[in-house]
Every structure is written in C-alpha cells, then in structure tokens.
Amino acid sequence: MSGTNSTSGARGTTEDADRTPRVLVVWCPDWPVVAVTGDDPVAVTEGGRILACSAGARAAGVRQGQRLKLAQRLCPALELRDRDPEAETRRFEPVVAAVEAFTPRVEVIRPGLCAIPVKGPGRYFGGEEALAAKVGTAVAEALARRPVPDAVPGAEPVPEPAPEPAPEPPSAPEPPTAQVGVADGLFAAVLAARAGVLVPQGRTAEFLAPYPVGTLGDEALAELLGRLGLPTVGAFAALPPEAVADRFGPVGTVAHRLARGLQPRPLVPRDQEPDLAVEQRFDPPEPLAEPLVFVARTLAERLHQRLAGAGLTCRRVAVEVVCADGRAASRLWRHEGRLSATALAERVRWQLQAWQGAGTFAASVSGEGGGFTLLRLAPDGLSPDQGRQLALWGQAVADDRVERAVARVQAVLGHAGLRRIEPSGGRGPGEQAVKVPWGEPYEAAAPADAPWPGRLPDVWPAVVLRDPAPVRVLDGAGLPVTVDGRAGVSARPVLVVFQGREEQVEGWTGPWPAVEYWWDQALARRRARFQVVVGDGRALLLTVEGGAWYLEAGYD
C-alpha cells in the first residue's frame, strides 16, 4: 500500500504493533440477498428497513437502512424479501469449508463474513499474498458451484434437461463474488476485505486514517468528534492516548486503539484458562440431527451457568460434532456474552443444517452403526464478566417462569416465532418500536432518547398500521387539504374519505412537521402529522407527504 507516513500518534509503538495479530478476512458482499431467491432488483428487509440489496436496486438509489416506502419509490420494480438467517448460514457453509482447508481456526463473524489468523497458514503457504490468492481462488470456486437456492438438504440433484435451441437463450446469473483482505487486527481486516487490499504489517493505522470516525462503530462518539473538528480516524488516532482516556473514558480508549491499528484492549495473558466446555455423548450413535438440537439447548444453559460461576464471558463459542467413524467438524460463532441459551441453541441448529446441506456427514451417518457420537460447546476468548445491575429488594431480573414459557413457545414456533418490543429512534409511532426475537441482542440504529424534532406528544396510539393506508382529506369546498413548506394548512379539514366511506371531522390539531435528511437528496423526506377526531368519536393519526394523505394509526 502506497502513501506517505502518518503522524507518530497514528503509528503507535512497535511493541503494540507486534502484539496485534495479522488477520485475513473473507467478505461476500450482499450475502443476505445471495441467500434468497429473486430477480434483480431485489432487497432483503429486516425491522422495516432495507438490510441489503442487489446491484440493480443499488443502481436505482436503494441503500442499506432505507425505509421500505422510500426504497419502493426509488425503484418501483423492487422485489422485497424477508431475511432468512437459516438460508444465509446454510449457503455460506461451502465458503467456510473452502477457507477451513487452509486452517481449522475459522471464525464466522456472521454469514457472509469470516476470518482466520494469518501467522501459521501464511508461513505454510508462502506468505500473506500467496495465502490471500489461494483463499480467494478457493472461495471463488466454492461460490461458483454453490447449491441451487431452496434445494432440499441431502436430496439428489435433478439432472438438467438438454437446452432447446433458441436464438438468444437467457444468460445465467453471475455467481456471487468474494473479496479478501489482510491487516493488523480483525477491525482493520474487515475494512481491508471490503476494499480488497492487503495492508502491510505496521501500516494499518495509515490505512485507517482516511476513514470517517463513524467507522469505529460508536455514533455518539463519532458525532462528538465531528463537532470537535476530528472527522477522520487518522485525526482521532493522532491524539495522545492519555488525553483520550481522560476526555472520552473507556469507550474512547477502545475506539482510539482501533484507530491506531491495535487490539481493542491490551492483551492480558492468563496462566491457564479453565476448561468450561460442555458436551454430550451419544451411545448408541444418534443417526438424526434433530435430537442434537434439543440437547444443544441444555448444553447452552450449562455453558452459561459455568461461565457465570467462573465470573467470565466469552467472545466466541465453538460448535463441535464427532461421528461414529471418527469424522469431526467444528465451527466458531461470535458470542460476545450477548446470546441467550435459546439463541445459542438456535445457532447450533443453523450450523447442523448447514453441514447437512453441504453433505458433510452424508457418509458418516448413513448405514448401520453410523451417526453422531458427540456434541460439544466450547467457549473461546474468555474475559472477565463485568456483570449486570440486579433489581432492588430481592426482585429477579427476569422471572424464571417467563423464561421457561418462552423456551416452550420457541420450541414450537421457532426462535423467531416469539418476539419482544424494543424502543427505537424515530418520529412516527411505527418507527419508535421494533420487534426482536426473544433472546437476541438488539442495538438500536438510532437512539430512542435522542431529540426528535417533530415527534408527537407522548400519547401513544392503540393501533399502528403496518403499512399506512391512503386516505383523502377534504375541506368545506370538497378540495384536498394541503400543507405548504412553512407548515401552513390551506383550509380546515372537514371530511376524511377512507375506502369510499366519508367521516365528518369534529376536531383536529396539528400539523407536526418533520423534515428528515434534508442534506441527502436520496434520503430527504418532508411530512406532517395531524390528530383528527371523526364523527363516531374515534381519534386518528393522519400523515401528509408529497401531497398525499395516509392513515397511520388510531387512538382509543
């Protein structure tokens, strides 16, 4: 990587640089889209927003994090698909298996993104560049022969009929792509993979310097640094570490170490890590994978109890399976101390399905005497648990009966079948709450307690429509009521017409104008909300945007 030397604050000490391990990351762009079926343009949604989109949708202006209505307005032909974590895991397994041929220490950060340490494989395969080239080739071959979407795991492939002669046969879809990057530490290696570069050792801080401070992952810190005139990672890294610790505390210290190309925290060597792994042996061997899923839930609970008893938490959990013929497979899943026992068991199920879909154990479990003999969950990357604040007066943090009931319901409906409501940032009632599977960690994309100019008073509607319904709002002359750029109302609302039925307006208040992303033409949005009482005593929440009226919610 070419470029001038950065400041001494960004370079860090040689001792710290030597402590930061070299990491190789494989990144498959738009993997949630790859895992679902659909014609371009297509987008995958989660929580009412765009999670990932295809190249055709991106060319039309669709971006990650956009609201669905805006995305459909930018690309009317856009096909929306719900996220399918199981399919993402299953179809990423051939990629992980290809990387695993170079080292067994493959960490799946999430489907579509995995990492390996460089030190051992790099020496064996002739250096970092040779290793990256070989990994990239192996992954490209695995993606080129990936299974047909929605194929039944273990089913025999159906031979394709001979193509009929045609003047212009339709072109086959291009296989998904992957990019490989190498840098000091996992954080920089992920960015290097997205850029498709190999960052020389000791120059990671120089590589990170042009990135905006928002890349460090803390929105509040990024906003503060921007106000202080430190818009880039390099400018932040140039500050003295002592001054950063005094001004920004532990959060700023971690971000500052990342900006300098170091580990998030200094290494703390341990004499010997306790063996906290939990396992279940099967005698006779278990020929089916389904019983292993139920055992995994019990093992996950035992693992959490052992970690809590030792006062530790783990960054990753290794799922290990051994068959009667001696064949074994292992996979690392990121944990970070945030996964419940139910969520961890669900990931074990995803991993077993991925192995089955890839035919990993096809020969090991078929036939007499074949089957699984061992399921093991092993924590990796142990660190002290910072604990959590308990309730006062002996109250429990969570009622055990509720947890048991949740476990029973999720066993019937699936992990995502039972969801909880979490607060989120936004101005409309439909934006201020999201549904999250019970047991899954959640980090709001926008803080709920931030100032939101234009937000309605704290009177929550009883019913919020999933998709606002179009209505017409008319004045006394039968003309549509409009709102100008200064929030001026053209006339008093008299009638609300909904699905051909007219409702007399008895009272109204508003507007509450909201102007969002005025600095970004693709995301800019201007709307106003009204509270209206109609003739039968019902109170409605109406929204006007672009001259069109919508029914957004209703009050009791």
Side-chain angles (χ1 to χ4, degrees):
M1 187 186 73
S2 62
T4 57
N5 292 331
S6 57
T7 61
S8 59
R11 286 195 301 266
T13 64
T14 304
E15 180 181 0
D16 285 337
D18 292 340
R19 290 183 177 183
T20 305
R22 300 284 287 171
V23 179
L24 182 147
V25 168
V26 176
W27 174 58
C28 299
D30 305 324
W31 191 255
V33 175
V34 175
V36 301
T37 57
D39 298 329
D40 198 11
V42 62
V44 175
T45 66
E46 185 178 46
R49 292 178 180 267
I50 299 297
L51 176 66
C53 61
S54 63
R58 194 177 298 109
V62 179
R63 295 293 183 270
Q64 183 182 11
Q66 281 182 345
R67 296 181 179 87
L68 303 186
K69 183 180 294 185
L70 174 59
Q72 290 177 314
R73 186 166 72 234
L74 294 172
C75 183
L78 183 66
E79 182 179 353
L80 299 178
R81 293 300 185 93
D82 293 331
R83 187 182 186 185
D84 190 348
E86 296 183 19
E88 293 177 26
T89 304
R90 183 173 64 252
R91 292 169 188 163
F92 192 56
E93 179 59 27
V95 176
V96 179
V99 179
E100 200 172 36
F102 298 88
T103 174
R105 299 294 294 175
V106 180
E107 178 182 346
V108 179
I109 302 171
R110 64 175 184 273
L113 189 68
C114 64
I116 62 173
V118 171
K119 184 176 180 180
R123 292 177 178 176
Y124 183 82
F125 290 98
E128 294 181 354
E129 293 186 7
L131 174 63
K134 292 178 181 294
V135 170
T137 301
V139 170
E141 293 176 354
L143 290 173
R145 61 175 182 267
R146 69 191 184 98
V148 178
D150 297 333
V152 179
E156 292 293 335
V158 179
E160 297 183 359
E164 298 180 359
E168 292 183 359
S171 59
E174 295 183 359
T177 60
Q179 295 182 187
V180 178
V182 179
D184 298 332
L186 178 61
F187 170 72
V190 172
L191 295 178
R194 291 179 176 272
V197 299
L198 275 64
V199 182
Q201 188 169 10
R203 299 182 65 182
T204 296
E206 181 183 342
F207 165 72
L208 295 174
Y211 282 89
V213 288
T215 310
L216 297 173
D218 191 313
E219 294 185 3
L221 178 62
E223 182 181 358
L224 177 58
L225 293 175
R227 294 202 302 267
L228 294 175
L230 302 170
T232 64
V233 173
F236 180 48
L239 298 178
E242 298 80 5
V244 172
D246 292 340
R247 175 63 179 83
F248 303 105
V251 174
T253 300
V254 171
H256 191 246
R257 290 185 62 85
L258 291 177
R260 293 158 59 203
L262 307 178
Q263 293 279 60
R265 58 178 176 80
L267 297 179
V268 182
R270 297 177 61 90
D271 295 335
Q272 183 179 3
E273 290 189 350
D275 184 9
L276 301 178
V278 293
E279 63 181 36
Q280 177 66 48
R281 297 185 179 274
F282 301 93
D283 188 13
E286 177 56 56
L288 301 177
E290 286 75 10
L292 272 68
V293 177
F294 293 98
V295 173
R297 187 185 302 274
T298 303
L299 292 180
E301 293 174 353
R302 286 169 50 193
L303 176 61
H304 280 204
Q305 292 173 359
R306 288 192 177 187
L307 289 170
L312 299 172
T313 185
C314 64
R315 290 186 298 164
R316 297 174 293 269
V317 172
V319 180
E320 302 175 6
V321 174
V322 179
C323 295
D325 61 356
R327 184 178 180 84
S330 176
R331 186 72 72 244
L332 284 170
W333 279 91
R334 184 159 290 270
H335 187 283
E336 298 290 2
R338 297 182 298 177
L339 294 180
S340 66
T342 302
L344 181 55
E346 188 72 7
R347 280 154 177 78
V348 173
R349 182 171 71 87
W350 295 349
Q351 189 59 62
L352 290 172
Q353 290 180 343
W355 280 329
Q356 281 186 312
T360 304
F361 301 114
S364 301
V365 299
S366 60
E368 186 176 356
F372 302 101
T373 59
L374 175 68
L375 173 63
R376 188 169 187 264
L377 303 182
D380 184 69
L382 298 176
S383 61
D385 189 357
Q386 301 300 325
R388 56 181 177 176
Q389 179 64 50
L390 299 176
L392 298 177
W393 318 119
Q395 300 173 5
V397 177
D399 193 338
D400 291 340
R401 292 176 298 175
V402 174
E403 294 292 340
R404 289 194 296 270
V406 167
R408 288 195 297 268
V409 173
Q410 287 182 320
V412 176
L413 301 180
H415 182 61
L418 186 63
R419 305 192 178 196
R420 70 182 189 274
I421 303 297
E422 290 286 349
S424 180
R427 295 174 174 83
E431 302 167 354
Q432 298 177 34
V434 295
K435 297 178 181 178
V436 182
W438 191 285
E440 288 283 354
Y442 171 72
E443 295 181 2
D449 56 354
W452 292 97
R455 176 181 282 186
L456 294 173
D458 292 334
V459 179
W460 286 86
V463 179
V464 178
L465 276 66
R466 179 178 302 176
D467 297 313
V471 298
R472 289 192 299 150
V473 179
L474 308 178
D475 60 14
L479 299 176
V481 177
T482 60
V483 180
D484 59 25
R486 294 179 174 236
V489 185
S490 62
R492 178 184 181 278
V494 174
L495 288 177
V496 175
V497 182
F498 175 59
Q499 294 181 345
R501 187 175 67 253
E502 295 184 355
E503 297 283 356
Q504 193 75 23
V505 176
E506 300 294 338
W508 63 282
T509 182
W512 282 275
V515 181
E516 301 173 327
Y517 298 102
W518 51 266
W519 60 90
D520 190 332
Q521 185 175 2
L523 299 177
R525 192 176 188 184
R526 181 190 297 269
R527 52 185 169 170
R529 291 184 170 87
F530 290 75
Q531 291 174 331
V532 175
V533 178
V534 294
D536 58 2
R538 291 181 300 147
L540 308 176
L541 177 63
L542 304 180
T543 304
V544 57
E545 181 178 3
W549 287 84
Y550 300 92
L551 172 61
E552 191 172 4
Y555 300 87
D556 283 344

